[in-house]
Amino acid sequence: MDSPVKLQILDLLREEPRSFDEIVKYTSKAKSTVSVHLNNLRSCELVEERVDPEDRRRKIYSLTSYYMGCSQKPVFEHYNSLLEKVAGNGMVDRSYFMEALFHTLRFGFEAYGIDNAPVVKMIGNDVGRRLAPTFEARAPEELLKEIGVFLESHWKCRVSVSGTEPVSFRVENPFKAESLPVIGKPFCAFNEGLIEGILREKLGQEYRVRETECYGTGHGHCLFEITL
């Protein structure tokens, strides 16, 4: 994709199907320009068009497949740093080794030019759905607290839940604070998917979880916003 507008459209449709007018507003382009790009994406079989059942004059556009990842400029610096940690402290601390190894795999893909965050989030979602039956709470507030306890016990972190719209999970993790680099973007895609999968499966509603602050963005914690 050599067109920034096409990439904007695909990025928007990753979240959910959108109407033509929503796409025009998001891209800030003329309707004729958006129409040309949508027709091109349809011809490539990346986007499909359907009529809105509630208003037959309106067209709805959606992706034809899951967004799996993208190629990007390889960054070996962060990857090599993690490899050193695996071979250093990881040799004497089993839990440190396992967590360092997890992040080495995550950044290893990126080091070789592949952004695997979308796949990692989907896997986290799958794991969350399988774990959901083991959680006892049925009310949203209580389930969020139970998820917090689960994360604390399994990731050696401190979790606090706050807010109402949106609810947020603040996670402080000593390992990430010590070992993971500031890369200018969040990198906890697995936990995004894990929390989302548990909520969706247990409560039967389409919750969305998005990491807005992270050690990777230079913050001293990870912050996950949860919306319905």
Side-chain angles (χ1 to χ4, degrees):
M1 286 293 142
D2 58 359
S3 165
V5 179
K6 288 188 180 70
L7 291 173
Q8 276 187 296
I9 293 171
L10 292 173
D11 190 55
L12 177 65
L13 296 182
R14 282 171 57 187
E15 300 176 0
E16 61 180 310
R18 302 282 185 169
S19 70
F20 180 78
D21 288 339
E22 286 176 315
I23 296 172
V24 169
K25 182 178 179 181
Y26 180 77
T27 60
S28 299
K29 299 296 181 182
K31 290 185 176 182
S32 58
T33 300
V34 172
S35 182
V36 168
H37 286 299
L38 281 170
N39 286 335
N40 184 258
L41 289 170
R42 289 175 62 206
S43 69
C44 295
E45 298 185 353
L46 294 173
V47 169
E48 60 184 6
E49 174 190 279
R50 61 181 174 83
V51 175
D52 186 343
E54 297 181 0
D55 184 352
R56 300 192 64 80
R57 296 168 299 178
R58 193 168 75 152
K59 300 290 181 61
I60 302 294
Y61 296 89
S62 60
L63 296 182
T64 58
S65 61
Y66 287 113
Y67 177 88
M68 297 300 292
C70 63
S71 61
Q72 61 183 37
K73 181 180 178 180
V75 181
F76 281 93
E77 179 184 353
H78 308 320
Y79 179 51
N80 288 331
S81 175
L82 282 163
L83 286 173
E84 291 177 5
K85 288 179 170 57
V86 169
N89 291 351
M91 295 300 292
V92 295
D93 185 332
R94 184 176 182 277
S95 62
Y96 186 100
F97 174 81
M98 294 305 297
E99 188 156 2
L101 182 61
F102 174 84
H103 290 292
T104 301
L105 290 170
R106 168 77 173 84
F107 279 97
F109 279 97
E110 188 167 305
Y112 286 99
I114 301 172
D115 178 9
N116 67 348
V119 181
V120 171
K121 181 169 182 176
M122 285 195 294
I123 293 172
N125 214 302
D126 292 338
V127 172
R129 290 178 183 276
R130 292 298 181 94
L131 287 175
T134 67
F135 287 79
E136 297 180 357
R138 296 188 178 276
E141 296 81 3
E142 295 305 314
L143 181 57
L144 289 171
K145 292 178 182 177
E146 193 175 354
I147 294 172
V149 171
F150 173 84
L151 293 175
E152 288 182 336
S153 63
H154 287 78
W155 296 110
K156 293 186 176 180
C157 60
R158 184 165 64 251
V159 178
S160 56
V161 183
S162 62
T164 53
E165 289 294 336
V167 175
S168 63
F169 259 55
R170 180 186 172 101
V171 180
E172 296 174 69
N173 187 316
F175 173 84
K176 290 179 180 177
E178 173 192 336
S179 63
L180 295 181
V182 176
I183 58 175
K185 63 180 180 180
F187 48 60
C188 302
F190 181 83
N191 280 347
E192 276 186 336
L194 181 72
I195 298 167
E196 194 173 88
I198 294 170
L199 290 170
R200 289 183 173 189
E201 185 71 17
K202 195 69 179 180
L203 302 178
Q205 294 181 289
E206 289 299 305
Y207 284 90
R208 289 184 183 173
V209 178
R210 178 171 170 264
E211 188 179 20
T212 57
E213 297 176 2
C214 181
Y215 291 100
T217 57
H219 293 84
H221 56 266
C222 295
L223 189 70
F224 300 90
E225 290 190 353
I226 303 165
T227 56
L228 179 59

